[in-house]
Amino acid sequence: MDMLRGEQIAEADLTEWCKLAQGLHARYLVDDFASGARFVAAVGEAGDAVGHHPRVSMGPGYVDLTLVSDDAIYRDDDGNEHVVEWVTQRDVDLARRIAEVAADHRLDADPDSVCVIELGLDTGRSATIAPVWAALLTGRADSQGRGTPSDEVRDATGRVPNLWFGEDEPEGTAQRFHLEVYVAPEEAERRIAAAVAAGGTVVDDSDAPSLTVIADQDGNRGVLCVAAPAKAEG
């Protein structure tokens, strides 16, 4: 099934879900563990009906869900097809169904609290160093390039954040590692303001709102990312 572009995902108008990094993400608020478990069971039944399921995690007062297809088709500029992890129509359809299940359980979504963390490493030798990081982070050689046409390291079980590689070799002792923090579009401005109020500095906002580089007082940098608009414009 073809991967969906950002515009197509935005046009779906999934108000309870956020497109962050590779997938669709949602958080539903629950009163207690039992109500969360009942909701997850109902979500499982919805997934059984279509042969597709979200990744699920639970904590005090919430259930987090991630929808992503591991067999999405990406076509590069030369027309070559690649199998990647990304959002497909199957994920959009199931997201809508899960929203209906949540309504049946009288649960509210909290999209502004959804966040995804990825690691970024600037290097000019990703093919050389990626095997080391695949082994260190996941213990599996096949996590290099999993679900992506690049050397990115992705753990199939989601135990650790994805690690992707920048194309530029930093000069001297420049920072090589940084965090990529994906948040909902509505949350980005508040998150940046909070970081600045805490003493951080906006280093580069030339690609805002998609990317905003923020540094702490020691000069360590992170990137706040907004992957796609919440709704289609126009």
Side-chain angles (χ1 to χ4, degrees):
M1 187 173 291
D2 286 351
M3 63 177 283
L4 297 182
R5 302 293 180 178
E7 297 81 1
Q8 294 171 298
I9 298 171
E11 288 170 358
D13 197 19
L14 303 171
T15 57
E16 297 185 358
W17 293 77
C18 299
K19 167 61 173 64
L20 304 179
Q22 293 79 35
L24 296 174
H25 301 264
R27 168 168 286 188
Y28 287 97
L29 305 179
V30 296
D31 292 332
D32 49 38
F33 186 88
S35 60
R38 288 192 294 270
F39 172 56
V40 170
V43 168
E45 292 178 359
D48 289 343
V50 296
H52 188 50
H53 298 87
R55 299 171 185 170
V56 181
S57 63
M58 291 179 59
Y62 68 86
V63 174
D64 285 346
L65 305 172
T66 301
L67 281 168
V68 63
S69 294
D70 59 9
D71 56 356
I73 301 300
Y74 161 70
R75 294 178 179 83
D76 61 26
D77 294 338
D78 296 324
N80 299 312
E81 293 188 354
H82 305 271
V83 178
V84 299
E85 286 186 334
W86 202 260
V87 177
T88 66
Q89 188 61 45
R90 173 174 51 190
D91 299 298
V92 170
D93 293 341
L94 185 53
R96 287 199 181 99
R97 177 67 188 113
I98 291 174
E100 294 173 352
V101 172
D104 291 341
H105 285 247
R106 298 182 180 179
L107 301 181
D108 292 326
D110 186 14
D112 289 351
S113 69
V114 176
C115 181
V116 174
I117 303 295
E118 292 193 343
L119 302 174
L121 177 56
D122 297 319
T123 176
R125 303 189 299 159
S126 64
T128 301
I129 69 174
V132 175
W133 289 103
L136 182 61
L137 292 174
T138 74
R140 296 181 58 93
D142 60 4
S143 63
Q144 177 185 349
R146 180 185 177 277
T148 171
S150 70
D151 292 313
E152 186 171 334
V153 176
R154 298 182 184 176
D155 178 23
T157 64
R159 293 168 298 175
V160 296
N162 291 344
L163 170 64
W164 65 271
F165 301 95
E167 297 179 356
D168 297 327
E169 182 79 27
E171 298 180 0
T173 58
Q175 179 182 342
R176 291 174 180 260
F177 264 113
H178 64 272
L179 296 179
E180 301 277 328
V181 182
Y182 290 81
V183 299
E186 298 83 0
E187 170 67 8
E189 185 175 347
R190 190 200 69 79
R191 191 72 64 96
I192 293 169
V196 171
T201 303
V202 174
V203 176
D204 184 359
D205 59 0
S206 59
D207 291 322
S210 298
L211 302 172
T212 302
V213 182
I214 298 174
D216 65 15
Q217 293 90 331
D218 286 341
N220 302 303
R221 298 185 178 189
V223 183
L224 190 78
C225 306
V226 175
K231 298 181 181 180
E233 297 180 355

